[in-house]
Amino acid sequence: MKRLIAVAAIAVGLAGCQGMAAKVSKLEVGTAREDVLDRLGPPDSDRSIIGFEVMSWLERRPGRFSFSHKDYTVVLKDNKVVQFGPGLVRRDSKTTLQIETGDP
């Protein structure tokens, strides 16, 4: 019985870790803004940069000593997704944005 409880707890924990990543990975370029909000919920930040709407979600994961986090960003133009994924957005030029993951 204790093993069953332990296995169930681990399964729930692993499912929670992939929550936001799994939701974001199911988005597609051209998805409507309303569908993004239905799938991901309200963003932690929503701002406008050079004509693009940039929405960000911060996935918080409890750790042993502190909370770790991963940022997920969705970039929209005319209420349609043009970019999405993990990372933060930066201006790539005067008219474009790029999501940077921070990975080398």
Side-chain angles (χ1 to χ4, degrees):
M1 184 65 166
K2 287 183 181 180
R3 278 189 183 171
L4 181 61
I5 293 171
V7 169
I10 290 171
V12 168
L14 290 176
C17 289
Q18 295 182 0
M20 184 58 73
K23 291 176 187 178
V24 170
S25 70
K26 292 178 183 174
L27 293 177
E28 296 179 3
V29 171
T31 302
R33 182 182 192 280
E34 296 79 25
D35 292 337
V36 172
L37 294 174
D38 287 342
R39 293 178 191 183
L40 304 181
D44 292 312
S45 74
D46 188 355
R47 60 197 183 280
S48 180
I49 302 174
I50 60 171
F52 293 91
E53 180 179 8
V54 179
M55 297 189 293
S56 299
W57 287 262
L58 180 65
E59 183 178 51
R60 295 162 187 87
R61 292 181 243 158
R64 187 170 183 178
F65 297 107
S66 67
F67 280 88
S68 63
H69 71 276
K70 186 165 198 163
D71 296 303
Y72 292 91
T73 301
V74 176
V75 179
L76 300 108
K77 182 76 170 181
D78 300 323
N79 290 320
K80 302 283 185 189
V81 173
V82 294
Q83 290 185 57
F84 61 93
L88 297 173
V89 74
R90 72 170 177 85
R91 283 179 73 162
D92 198 31
S93 70
K94 289 184 178 183
T95 59
T96 61
L97 301 176
Q98 180 67 38
I99 297 173
E100 289 191 339
T101 62
D103 296 335

